[in-house]
Structures are given as C-alpha cells and as structure tokens.
C-alpha cells in the first residue's frame, strides 16, 4: 500500500494550487481514486474532499540503438478540507 504514491509534484501549476489547499502527486497506474483517498487520509491524517486524476502520455526515449518508453504513472490533484494541510518539506 505504501508504494501507491510515488512523489509529490512541485511545478508552477502545483505551487499555485497549494494556495487553494490542493496537492499534486504521482501515483501507481493500478491505483483508483478510492484507494488513494483512503491512503492519503490514513498516512497524512487529513480529510480529502475531492480527487481529480489523469494519465500522462508516454514519452519516447532512446538509449543507443534501443528505443523505448518512459514508465507509466497517473497524476492526481487532491483537494483537502479547509484547516488541513500536508507538510511537503521538513523543518530541519
């Protein structure tokens, strides 16, 4: 269950969404919204209001003569109830 969420996303859009109490994560492709909501609420002790998800297109990569694709993953935007937050950086 802990391998469902890969990493938080910190792009310009994701930073703008932080002001609206929305957080972006890359997750495993096989995960659905119900599993992710349950995992985020348990792990971070927050209340999730909504989840929007989409699969990003695969990118073609080439190493020498071998052509392949990048790994598949989903991106989710999670909206939290007001008063809750997820610490993305440690204070140390």
């Amino acid at each position: 269950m802990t391998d469902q969420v890969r990493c938080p996303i910190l792009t310009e859009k994701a930073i703008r969404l932080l002001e609206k109490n929305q957080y972006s994560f890359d997750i495993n492709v096989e995960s659905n919204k119900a599993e992710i909501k349950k995992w985020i609420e348990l792990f971070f002790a927050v209340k999730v209001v909504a989840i929007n998800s989409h699969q990003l297109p695969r990118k073609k990569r080439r190493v020498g003569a071998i052509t392949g694709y990048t790994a598949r993953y989903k991106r989710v935007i999670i909206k939290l109830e007001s008063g809750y937050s997820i610490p993305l950086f440690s204070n140390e």
Side-chain angles (χ1 to χ4, degrees), residues 77-90:
I77 299 174
I78 298 169
K79 184 175 182 179
L80 300 181
E81 204 171 271
S82 61
Y84 290 99
S85 66
I86 296 175
L88 295 178
F89 305 104
S90 63

Side-chain angles (χ1 to χ4, degrees), residues 18-71:
L18 288 175
E19 297 172 358
K20 298 178 183 178
N21 209 20
Q22 296 179 1
Y23 296 85
S24 300
F25 294 97
D26 281 346
I27 63 169
N28 193 359
V29 176
E30 290 84 24
S31 302
N32 59 27
K33 290 182 181 184
E35 292 173 350
I36 294 304
K37 179 179 178 180
K38 180 179 169 186
W39 189 86
I40 293 289
E41 286 180 345
L42 287 174
F43 189 75
F44 292 111
V46 294
K47 180 69 177 165
V48 175
V49 174
I51 296 180
N52 294 325
S53 67
H54 66 280
Q55 283 191 357
L56 296 163
R58 295 176 76 179
K59 294 181 181 177
K60 202 173 207 181
R61 293 290 181 239
R62 180 178 168 157
V63 178
I66 300 170
T67 303
Y69 291 94
T70 57

Side-chain angles (χ1 to χ4, degrees), residues 2-8 25-28 71-74:
T2 59
D3 61 344
Q4 299 296 327
V5 177
R6 291 179 50 196
C7 59
F25 294 97
D26 281 346
I27 63 169
N28 193 359
R72 296 295 304 218
Y73 59 93
K74 280 184 184 178

